[in-house]
Amino acid sequence: MNKQAFTTYETAWCPGCGNFAIIETLTGVLNQMETPPHQVVLVGGIGQAAKTNQYITANGFSGLHGRALPAAVAIKIVNDDLTVIVNTGDGDSYGEGGNHFLHNIRRNVDITHFVHDNQIYGLTKGQPSPTSDPCDLAHKTSACNLGATFNPLLIAIAAGATFVARSFSGDKKHLAQIMEAAIRHPGYALVDILQPCVSFNKKNTFAYYKQRVKPLDDTYDATNKLAAIEKAMEFGDTIPIGILYQEQAPSYAAKRPELFDAVPIVNKQVNLGEVQTLINSYI
Ligand SMILES: Cc1ncc(C[n+]2csc(CCOP(=O)(O)OP(=O)(O)O)c2C)c(N)n1
Ligand code: SF4
Ligand SMILES: [Mg+2]
């Protein structure tokens, strides 16, 4: 396959935005994996991150705010031949989409979820998101949480996610490795990507993350759930990046083989007579 099959269009993101490294890395990974663009569906909700699917030469679907995951799950169930990847923001994933986040994790449908986590609502110009840091009102530089800050990795592990990782848009090599592992994972895979919003988040900047991110070392055992829970609670002067937790568990497809047999639902013959009979039964 042509290694340049996936390319990008001009974007409306601000110069210097952390989203650029994510889109470049993702197109590079997809080209490397040699999956044809017509078999890839990129899904988003609403927000700056959610526009990613509109900027890559693959199939795209933009859902309502917070509704990227149910759309992605539906696409995968209807056509299991497709590689389905969600790119969306921290607000879209964990705030407006919080309920979908919890319950789609439990289903373990084989989709990949890249959260561009800028710890802020970027598109609407800088309100706090669930992952914004707790407020230190004496030194407030950006929107912050008066309530508790949401810890997506901890919550994902607790909810039964089978692949939970963090990466940083300021380290493209690391990001590429984690993205590929997440796409290859047979089940729901979450990657929370630290993505500086240079316009509205004046605290969690590239320099801020660069000083703090620390790749997991080679001795770290990503299959140990208790260790992963403990690691997921580290977020401060040190921010661990890498695959915090991974387990091999039956995906939704393995549990519902009648939906995922040799012929995907989208290609199954529709018997209009049976459909009419069904409709008539409700009249
Ligand atoms: C139902 C609904 N509520 C609110 C909005 C306004 N809105 C649009 S984007 C957004 C926040 C997006 O934040 P995030 O998901 O973190 O994406 P970012 O722009 O930071 O990449 C909000 C609140 C909306 N479009 N629809
Ligand atoms: S507002 Fe922030 S997240 Fe949105 S494009 Fe600009 S820098 Fe990126
Ligand atoms: Mg955001």
Side-chain angles (χ1 to χ4, degrees), residues 12-19 48-49 118 120 122-123 195-200:
W13 291 326
C14 313
C17 175
N19 281 325
Q48 296 285 20
N118 51 20
I120 209 154
L123 185 72
Q195 174 255 312
C197 168
V198 295
S199 295
F200 297 109

Short mmCIF file of all heavy atoms in Angstrom, two decimals, residues 12-19 48-49 118 120 122-123 195-200, ligand 2:
data_model
loop_
_atom_site.label_atom_id
_atom_site.label_comp_id
_atom_site.label_asym_id
_atom_site.label_seq_id
_atom_site.Cartn_x
_atom_site.Cartn_y
_atom_site.Cartn_z
N ALA A 12 -7.97 24.16 11.56
CA ALA A 12 -8.29 25.49 12.12
C ALA A 12 -7.72 25.63 13.53
O ALA A 12 -8.15 26.48 14.30
CB ALA A 12 -9.81 25.67 12.14
N TRP A 13 -6.77 24.73 13.91
CA TRP A 13 -6.19 24.80 15.25
C TRP A 13 -5.20 25.97 15.35
O TRP A 13 -4.59 26.40 14.36
CB TRP A 13 -5.45 23.50 15.58
CG TRP A 13 -6.36 22.31 15.75
CD1 TRP A 13 -7.63 22.30 16.28
CD2 TRP A 13 -6.09 20.95 15.40
NE1 TRP A 13 -8.14 21.03 16.28
CE2 TRP A 13 -7.22 20.17 15.75
CE3 TRP A 13 -4.98 20.29 14.83
CZ2 TRP A 13 -7.28 18.79 15.55
CZ3 TRP A 13 -5.05 18.92 14.64
CH2 TRP A 13 -6.19 18.19 15.00
N CYS A 14 -5.00 26.47 16.58
CA CYS A 14 -4.06 27.58 16.81
C CYS A 14 -2.62 27.09 16.56
O CYS A 14 -2.30 25.95 16.89
CB CYS A 14 -4.10 28.06 18.25
SG CYS A 14 -5.73 28.31 18.93
N PRO A 15 -1.76 27.97 16.04
CA PRO A 15 -0.35 27.58 15.90
C PRO A 15 0.20 27.15 17.26
O PRO A 15 -0.08 27.78 18.27
CB PRO A 15 0.33 28.88 15.44
CG PRO A 15 -0.77 29.71 14.86
CD PRO A 15 -2.03 29.34 15.60
N GLY A 16 0.93 26.01 17.27
CA GLY A 16 1.54 25.54 18.52
C GLY A 16 0.66 24.60 19.32
O GLY A 16 1.09 24.05 20.34
N CYS A 17 -0.59 24.39 18.89
CA CYS A 17 -1.51 23.51 19.63
C CYS A 17 -0.96 22.08 19.72
O CYS A 17 -0.39 21.56 18.75
CB CYS A 17 -2.85 23.49 18.91
SG CYS A 17 -4.01 22.32 19.62
N GLY A 18 -1.17 21.45 20.86
CA GLY A 18 -0.72 20.07 21.05
C GLY A 18 -1.42 19.07 20.14
O GLY A 18 -0.96 17.93 20.00
N ASN A 19 -2.52 19.47 19.50
CA ASN A 19 -3.21 18.54 18.59
C ASN A 19 -2.38 18.21 17.35
O ASN A 19 -2.57 17.14 16.76
CB ASN A 19 -4.55 19.15 18.14
CG ASN A 19 -5.62 19.01 19.21
OD1 ASN A 19 -5.66 18.02 19.93
ND2 ASN A 19 -6.50 20.00 19.30
N GLN A 48 -12.31 20.89 19.91
CA GLN A 48 -11.13 21.04 19.04
C GLN A 48 -10.57 19.67 18.68
O GLN A 48 -10.29 19.37 17.51
CB GLN A 48 -10.04 21.84 19.75
CG GLN A 48 -10.40 23.27 20.07
CD GLN A 48 -10.37 24.16 18.84
OE1 GLN A 48 -10.43 23.67 17.71
NE2 GLN A 48 -10.28 25.46 19.05
N ALA A 49 -10.40 18.81 19.69
CA ALA A 49 -9.86 17.47 19.45
C ALA A 49 -10.79 16.67 18.56
O ALA A 49 -10.34 15.91 17.68
CB ALA A 49 -9.69 16.75 20.80
N ASN A 118 -6.35 18.24 27.25
CA ASN A 118 -5.69 19.53 27.50
C ASN A 118 -6.13 20.13 28.82
O ASN A 118 -5.86 21.28 29.12
CB ASN A 118 -5.91 20.50 26.33
CG ASN A 118 -7.38 20.61 25.97
OD1 ASN A 118 -8.25 20.27 26.77
ND2 ASN A 118 -7.68 21.09 24.77
N ILE A 120 -8.90 21.18 29.83
CA ILE A 120 -9.67 22.42 29.67
C ILE A 120 -10.69 22.24 28.54
O ILE A 120 -10.54 21.33 27.71
CB ILE A 120 -8.69 23.59 29.37
CG1 ILE A 120 -9.23 24.92 29.88
CG2 ILE A 120 -8.33 23.68 27.89
CD1 ILE A 120 -8.15 25.93 30.17
N GLY A 122 -11.30 23.62 25.35
CA GLY A 122 -10.58 24.51 24.44
C GLY A 122 -11.49 25.26 23.50
O GLY A 122 -11.41 26.49 23.38
N LEU A 123 -12.39 24.52 22.83
CA LEU A 123 -13.20 25.16 21.78
C LEU A 123 -14.03 26.31 22.32
O LEU A 123 -14.20 27.34 21.66
CB LEU A 123 -14.13 24.12 21.13
CG LEU A 123 -14.93 24.63 19.94
CD1 LEU A 123 -14.03 24.85 18.73
CD2 LEU A 123 -16.06 23.68 19.57
N GLN A 195 -2.12 16.99 26.11
CA GLN A 195 -2.13 17.79 24.87
C GLN A 195 -2.25 19.27 25.22
O GLN A 195 -3.34 19.78 25.43
CB GLN A 195 -3.33 17.35 24.00
CG GLN A 195 -3.59 18.15 22.75
CD GLN A 195 -4.80 19.07 22.89
OE1 GLN A 195 -5.85 18.65 23.34
NE2 GLN A 195 -4.66 20.33 22.50
N PRO A 196 -1.15 19.98 25.34
CA PRO A 196 -1.24 21.38 25.75
C PRO A 196 -2.12 22.23 24.84
O PRO A 196 -2.01 22.17 23.61
CB PRO A 196 0.22 21.85 25.70
CG PRO A 196 1.01 20.61 25.88
CD PRO A 196 0.24 19.54 25.19
N CYS A 197 -3.00 23.01 25.47
CA CYS A 197 -3.80 24.03 24.77
C CYS A 197 -3.06 25.34 25.01
O CYS A 197 -3.14 25.92 26.09
CB CYS A 197 -5.21 24.09 25.35
SG CYS A 197 -6.14 25.55 24.80
N VAL A 198 -2.31 25.77 23.99
CA VAL A 198 -1.41 26.93 24.20
C VAL A 198 -2.18 28.24 24.33
O VAL A 198 -1.64 29.23 24.83
CB VAL A 198 -0.36 27.02 23.07
CG1 VAL A 198 0.57 25.83 23.09
CG2 VAL A 198 -1.03 27.16 21.69
N SER A 199 -3.43 28.26 23.91
CA SER A 199 -4.19 29.51 23.97
C SER A 199 -4.89 29.73 25.31
O SER A 199 -4.96 30.85 25.80
CB SER A 199 -5.24 29.57 22.86
OG SER A 199 -4.59 29.61 21.61
N PHE A 200 -5.41 28.66 25.91
CA PHE A 200 -6.25 28.87 27.10
C PHE A 200 -5.77 28.19 28.36
O PHE A 200 -6.27 28.48 29.44
CB PHE A 200 -7.70 28.45 26.79
CG PHE A 200 -8.32 29.28 25.71
CD1 PHE A 200 -8.58 28.74 24.46
CD2 PHE A 200 -8.60 30.63 25.92
CE1 PHE A 200 -9.12 29.52 23.44
CE2 PHE A 200 -9.13 31.41 24.91
CZ PHE A 200 -9.40 30.86 23.67
S1 SF4 B 2 -7.91 26.62 21.64
FE1 SF4 B 2 -6.34 25.29 22.54
S2 SF4 B 2 -6.95 23.19 21.99
FE2 SF4 B 2 -8.07 24.62 20.64
S3 SF4 B 2 -6.81 24.76 18.79
FE3 SF4 B 2 -6.23 26.47 20.14
S4 SF4 B 2 -4.49 25.68 21.33
FE4 SF4 B 2 -5.52 23.91 20.43
#
